[in-house]
């Protein structure tokens, strides 16, 4: 359950849905209720409902029950309960299927002997056929009658209506012929075979659908069950669920980190591939963050818990993947609209087929068989599974590659990006400025760094941190100094007294060196320059640069190869921006863009037409991310940026944007293929059945296999890998 500005969002596990018409009807029923806004996912068997003050969970359950389905609130144990329940149902269905096969095979087998010398004289006794077909029709096939009744009671019609109506017509006609000894062929084998084949299709479909949720299952399996926690100076093992923020826990070599935390003591390398997709271990030392389910290397780590339960990064990933898998892409709207009117339309076509054949050919039996074939071939299962199965597999593969998709709509739009705007610091660059050059005038390098670090000791500015970090590396040779009478002048620099010397450290323009050749040369190299001065005397120049990420240039090149226009937005001066843009291979950039102006820049790019995306990592990027058509947040960035973005890249790498666009193209490609196959199947199959060119048995087999083929095609997305 989550909170939103417009109400609570509650997730329910839905039971009893069999096709797209079911999910569409349930969604329609829920959206008609006061205070409810629902999204129903057939493949995931989930309903996400936004509730206002006028509705509650009980009202949702009641509305779902009235529509002919069951609903249960999703909680921490729901997935395990569902797995156990589905396993029992699956085993029961398998037993029923084999019983159905045993009863149907004699009926179907006799068809081969009927083509022999004595024709229909070789068929099984009709009373025996009736005895074999009846249990299949009303015991094995009871699920279709039950589903059809609930569907009609709820004001709609689904696949069960088609199967129940078609097979009942075949069984009823054959029973009348048998009871009254009429000189007509019977079609017991048709109804029984259709039910058996549909059941086979459902079993295969259930197996395939289970594989679409493997991504979430694999993430859940990563979570350790216990943790070694410090209590009163003793280490004890306790369930991970019992940990609280602030608890100190121990991760030994080879173990998985139980919760998110901060490393207190020890050094090690941690494999974070399950979160980032990167295979190389990440070195960890005191002060670094560790994340739940990541694998510790050779060293022991003593950590303090910072995020537990639903507040871990892994839990957030699982939650986001689940939400994305339950969302709908715009491309699905067409399928939903068609499914809503599909079944009634098919029933009309079947009726017209029956009337047309009986009127023109005068043969009631042929008219009935062709009408049954229309009903069977038209079952819209494949149509309903086309989009959600591809979305489920695609978002799952994305999660494994460190790409978190907030909703399916964003995944669809990503493929259509024409302009990509990106921030410089932390996106193109590493986000950790470092001192690259020290130019001194009358001082040794370490002395200059020591004086500058004394002035910047208490500052949190990135440039100040770079100065202090550079000085710390020389503490063995230079004594750390302290500043007195410290004063900060925002936009200019700092000043204070160090060793009785009045010093200033700040921008070249503030200290009158804006036109200095040495300063200009460093700035042309893409570096930010700070000047250390005593009175009017310049003591040193410090050049600070934020290094380009190793993969940024290759990522920009791949984006341009896709025909995407790349624009860099930065608050840096034009010289630094030009140098970084050139190094990254970016032809277009905008320098001196203030944080509040980035959203305006995005809107300006949108006004030129095309679909505009934004990549950012900081709080200052959040307005621009919200303004963009598609937004990417670097995972190491601020919570505000991650919240505003449509897609989150767990690894801080621009190549993740390339992978996300590639994933979007692959997923949308599968959706289009699935919809094409489903539409073509029904468009071609219904006329063939109406013209009498399809036997109901063949139609049943084709209908069952169509659903399996669509799901199997979606599963081919599992072959997608990042970096392609």
């Amino acid at each position: 359950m989550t909170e939103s500005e417009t109400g609570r969002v509650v997730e329910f596990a839905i039971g009893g849905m069999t096709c797209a018409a079911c999910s569409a009807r349930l969604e329609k029923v829920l959206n008609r209720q006061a205070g409810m806004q629902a999204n129903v996912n057939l493949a995931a068997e989930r309903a996400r409902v936004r509730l206002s003050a006028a509705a509650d969970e009980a009202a949702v359950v009641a509305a779902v029950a009235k529509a002919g389905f069951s609903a249960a609130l999703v909680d921490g144990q729901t997935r395990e309960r569902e797995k156990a329940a589905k396993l029992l149902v699956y085993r029961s269905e398998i037993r029923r299927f084999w019983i159905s096969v045993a009863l149907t095979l004699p009926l179907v087998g006799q068809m081969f002997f009927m083509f022999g010398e004595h024709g229909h004289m070789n068929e099984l006794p009709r009373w025996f056929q009736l005895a074999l077909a009846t249990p299949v029709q009303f015991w094995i096939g009871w699920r279709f009658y039950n589903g059809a009744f609930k569907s009609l009671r709820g004001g709609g019609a689904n696949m069960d209506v088609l199967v129940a109506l078609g097979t009942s017509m075949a069984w009823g006609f054959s029973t009348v012929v048998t009871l009254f000894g009429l000189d007509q062929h019977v079609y017991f084998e048709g109804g029984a075979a259709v039910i058996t084949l549909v059941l086979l299709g459902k079993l295969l479909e259930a197996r395939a659908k289970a594989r679409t949720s493997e991504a979430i299952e694999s993430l859940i399996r990563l979570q350790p069950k216990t943790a070694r926690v410090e209590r009163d100076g003793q280490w004890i093992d306790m369930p991970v669920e019992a940990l609280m923020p602030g608890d100190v826990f121990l991760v030994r070599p080879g173990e998985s980190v139980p919760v998110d935390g901060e490393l207190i003591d020890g050094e090690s390398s941690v494999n974070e591939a399950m979160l980032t997709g990167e295979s190389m271990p990440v070195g960890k030392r005191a002060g670094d963050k560790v994340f739940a389910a990541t694998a510790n290397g050779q060293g022991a780590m003593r950590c303090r818990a910072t995020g537990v339960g639903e507040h871990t990064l892994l839990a957030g990933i699982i939650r986001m993947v689940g939400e994305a898998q339950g969302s709908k892409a715009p491309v699905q709207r067409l399928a939903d609209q068609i499914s809503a009117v599909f079944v009634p339309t098919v029933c009309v076509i079947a009726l017209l087929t029956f009337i047309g054949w009986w009127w023109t050919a005068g043969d009631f039996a042929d008219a009935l068989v062709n009408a049954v074939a229309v009903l069977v071939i038209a079952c819209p299962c494949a149509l309903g599974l086309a989009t959600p199965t591809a979305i489920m597999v695609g978002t799952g593969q994305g999660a494994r590659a460190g790409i978190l998709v907030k909703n399916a709509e964003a995944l669809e739009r990503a493929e259509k990006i024409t302009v990509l705007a990106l921030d410089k610091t932390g996106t193109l660059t590493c986000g950790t400025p470092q001192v690259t050059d020290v130019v001194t005038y009358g001082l040794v390098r370490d002395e200059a760094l020591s004086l500058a670090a004394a002035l910047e000791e208490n500052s949190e500015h990135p440039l100040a941190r770079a100065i202090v970090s550079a000085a710390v590396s020389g503490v063995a040779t230079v004594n750390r100094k302290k500043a007195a009478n410290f004063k900060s002048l925002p936009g200019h620099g700092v000043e204070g007294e160090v060793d009785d010397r009045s010093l200033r450290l700040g921008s070249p323009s503030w200290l009158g060196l804006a036109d200095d050749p040495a300063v200009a040369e460093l700035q042309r190299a893409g570096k930010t320059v700070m000047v250390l001065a005593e009175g009017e005397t310049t003591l040193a120049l410090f050049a600070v640069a934020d290094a380009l990420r190793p993969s940024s240039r290759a990522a920009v090149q791949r984006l341009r190869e896709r025909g995407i226009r790349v624009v860099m937005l930065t608050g840096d001066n034009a010289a630094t921006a030009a140098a970084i843009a050139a190094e990254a291979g970016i032809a277009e950039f905008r320098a001196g863009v203030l944080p509040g102006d980035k959203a305006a820049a995005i809107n300006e790019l949108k006004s030129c037409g095309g679909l505009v995306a934004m990549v950012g990592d900081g709080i200052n990027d959040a307005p621009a991310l919200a303004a963009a058509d598609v937004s990417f947040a670097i995972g190491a960035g601020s919570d505000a940026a991650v919240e505003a973005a449509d897609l989150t890249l767990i690894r801080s790498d621009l190549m993740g944007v390339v992978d996300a666009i590639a994933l979007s193209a692959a997923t949308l490609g599968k959706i289009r293929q699935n919809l094409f196959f489903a539409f073509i199947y029904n468009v071609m199959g219904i006329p063939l059945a109406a013209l009498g060119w399809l036997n109901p048995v063949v139609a049943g087999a084709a209908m069952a296999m169509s659903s399996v083929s669509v799901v199997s095609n979606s599963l081919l997305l599992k072959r997608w890998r990042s970096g392609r």
Side-chain angles (χ1 to χ4, degrees), residues 177-198:
V177 171
T178 301
L179 293 177
F180 293 95
L182 303 178
D183 187 21
Q184 295 279 353
H185 181 59
V186 293
Y187 297 95
F188 288 118
E189 75 282 351
V194 166
I195 289 174
T196 303
L197 288 168
V198 172

Side-chain angles (χ1 to χ4, degrees), residues 268-273 278-284 295 297:
S268 186
S269 60
V270 178
N271 187 338
E272 297 181 344
E278 292 290 335
S279 58
M280 291 297 293
V282 180
K284 300 288 183 181

Side-chain angles (χ1 to χ4, degrees), residues 502-717:
S502 294
L503 302 175
R504 292 185 294 169
L505 178 67
S507 66
S509 59
W510 179 46
L511 296 169
L513 295 181
D515 299 323
D516 185 85
V519 171
E521 184 180 354
L522 291 170
Q523 288 179 337
R524 282 194 296 271
K527 301 172 182 178
T528 300
V529 180
M530 300 175 69
V531 180
L532 178 66
E534 183 178 9
E536 300 299 322
T537 304
T538 301
L539 300 179
L541 303 178
F542 302 99
V544 180
D546 188 4
L548 197 72
R549 294 186 188 275
S551 61
S552 290
R553 186 174 181 87
V556 170
Q557 179 61 31
R558 287 184 61 184
L559 288 166
R560 293 177 66 180
E561 289 172 355
R562 285 184 168 273
I564 297 174
R565 172 187 167 198
V566 182
V567 182
M568 184 181 78
L569 306 178
T570 178
D572 262 342
N573 62 74
T576 301
I580 292 293
E583 188 178 356
I586 298 174
E588 186 177 351
F589 66 90
R590 302 186 183 184
V593 181
L594 298 175
D597 298 332
K598 286 186 178 181
I602 294 295
N603 289 325
E604 184 184 337
L605 291 170
K606 288 168 68 175
S607 66
C608 300
L611 195 141
V612 178
M614 171 70 186
V615 187
D617 74 320
I619 294 174
N620 60 332
D621 297 321
L625 291 169
D629 296 312
V630 182
S631 51
F632 302 86
I634 299 293
S638 70
D639 291 341
V642 173
E643 182 64 28
D646 298 314
L647 298 99
T648 300
L649 312 176
I650 295 179
R651 67 178 190 267
S652 299
D653 189 340
L654 190 60
M655 196 63 77
V657 176
V658 180
D659 289 336
I661 295 172
L663 177 63
S664 170
T667 304
L668 267 293
K670 287 298 177 189
I671 290 175
R672 294 189 188 103
Q673 291 172 16
N674 290 346
L675 289 175
F676 175 78
F677 293 147
F679 278 127
I680 289 297
Y681 166 80
N682 284 304
V683 167
M684 295 182 63
I686 292 174
L688 290 175
L691 293 171
W693 294 349
L694 277 181
N695 183 280
V697 177
V698 177
M703 183 272 293
M705 291 303 105
S706 68
S707 297
V708 177
S709 64
V710 164
V711 179
S712 300
N713 188 49
S714 295
L715 288 171
L716 292 177
L717 272 173

Side-chain angles (χ1 to χ4, degrees), residues 2 7 51 64 96 219 270 316 353 358 391 397 429 513 541 555 610 621 626:
T2 59
L51 299 174
V64 172
R96 288 173 178 254
L219 289 172
V270 178
T353 299
W358 196 12
I391 292 292
Q397 289 300 102
T429 64
L513 295 181
L541 303 178
D621 297 321

Side-chain angles (χ1 to χ4, degrees), residues 30 157 172 205 248 271 334 506:
L30 291 174
E205 181 186 303
V248 176
N271 187 338
L334 177 62

Side-chain angles (χ1 to χ4, degrees), residues 329-355:
V331 73
Q332 192 176 346
R333 294 170 187 162
L334 177 62
D336 288 346
Q337 291 170 356
I338 292 175
S339 297
V341 298
F342 193 76
V343 174
T345 303
V346 168
C347 289
V348 172
I349 294 173
L351 179 61
L352 293 175
T353 299
F354 176 78
I355 294 172

